[in-house]
């Protein structure tokens, strides 16, 4: 019988993990391995294997897996356990429709409360996006730019949902941005949104955001229907 390669062998654990950090260390380690493709789509993660690997009990493993499921990085499948999620779920259009609702609301609440430092930080992310060529960095900077504009929304649960959605998109972009030719992720939109936020023009900033996200939906929908995306799906 031939030995299947163990997907967990790509994960390095440095020494014993203090119990109170176990959940966050496991979550962060698995998150980055899923994001950079070391743990590919469709791989099942067994709780006991992870507990052995990290040298912890199954409880923090279970909690970490639950967090990753909330971030749409894992799906819990009956009889298989936690399975690394596909890059884009079948309901991508519905996911985007929800994101537009949630992010619009977060922006609406946040804009009047943004401080000068928040706006300066947002401007720096736009500048960094201008010179960045690494696709995984571009995805990350895009997420951080958006979060900086939403950050003052007082509803923390809303912000958590918004961030989960952005994380999901970041993972997709990391693998597909180059092929999609979305380039700098519509930097003019980003600049216009920042400008409206600086002017405290809530309605304009929300309108610009909706336009920006709808443009993303269009590009992704067109890309997913393309022959290139179909062949990538098969090879992943
Ligand atoms: Ni964007």
């Amino acid at each position: 019988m031939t030995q299947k390669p163990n997907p967990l062998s790509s994960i390095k654990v440095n020494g014993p993990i203090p119990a109170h950090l176990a959940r966050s260390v496991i979550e962060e380690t698995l998150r980055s391995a899923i994001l950079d493709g070391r743990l590919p789509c469709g791989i099942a993660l067994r709780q006991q294997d992870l507990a052995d690997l990290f040298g912890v009990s199954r409880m923090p493993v279970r909690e970490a897996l639950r967090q990753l499921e909330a971030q749409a990085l894992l799906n819990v499948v009956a009889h298989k356990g936690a399975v690394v999620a596909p890059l884009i779920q079948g309901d991508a259009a519905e996911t985007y429709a929800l994101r537009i609702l949630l992010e619009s609301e977060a922006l609406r609440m946040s804009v009047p409360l943004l401080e000068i430092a928040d706006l300066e930080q947002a401007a720096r992310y736009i500048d960094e996006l201008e010179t960045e060529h690494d696709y995984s960095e571009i995805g990350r900077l895009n997420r951080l730019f958006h979060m900086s504009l939403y950050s003052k929304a007082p509803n923390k649960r809303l912000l958590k949902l918004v961030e989960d959605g952005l994380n999901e998109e970041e993972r997709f972009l990391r693998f597909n941005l180059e092929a999609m030719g979305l380039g700098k992720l519509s930097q003019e939109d980003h600049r216009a949104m920042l400008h409206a936020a600086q002017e405290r023009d809530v309605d304009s900033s929300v309108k610009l955001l909706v336009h920006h996200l709808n443009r993303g939906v269009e590009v992704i929908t067109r890309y997913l229907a393309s022959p290139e995306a179909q062949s990538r799906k098969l090879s992943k």
Side-chain angles (χ1 to χ4, degrees), residues 142 145-146 169 185-186 190 193 212-213:
N142 179 64
F145 165 74
H146 281 262
E169 179 186 46
L185 285 172
S186 339
H190 288 166
M193 280 163 58
H212 177 61
L213 292 177

Side-chain angles (χ1 to χ4, degrees), residues 60-76:
V61 169
R62 213 159 25 229
E63 287 169 6
L65 294 178
R66 208 173 293 143
Q67 292 296 322
L68 294 165
E69 190 191 14
Q71 294 161 28
L73 294 173
L74 294 173
N75 290 325
V76 174

Side-chain angles (χ1 to χ4, degrees), residues 20 24 28 30 39 44 54 70 74 81 92 97 105 111-112 138-139 153 159-160 172 181 185 188 199 222 234:
H20 68 288
S24 61
E28 272 317 304
L30 295 180
L39 289 176
F54 288 95
L74 294 173
E105 188 56 20
V111 162
I138 290 174
L159 276 184
K160 173 82 171 61
F172 174 75
L185 285 172
E188 312 91 78
E199 300 287 314
R222 210 179 313 130
L234 294 175

Side-chain angles (χ1 to χ4, degrees), residues 209-229:
L209 172 66
V210 171
H211 170 79
H212 177 61
L213 292 177
N214 272 322
R215 193 205 298 257
V217 178
E218 269 170 45
V219 175
I220 287 180
T221 309
R222 210 179 313 130
Y223 168 67
L224 286 175
S226 71
E228 182 173 13

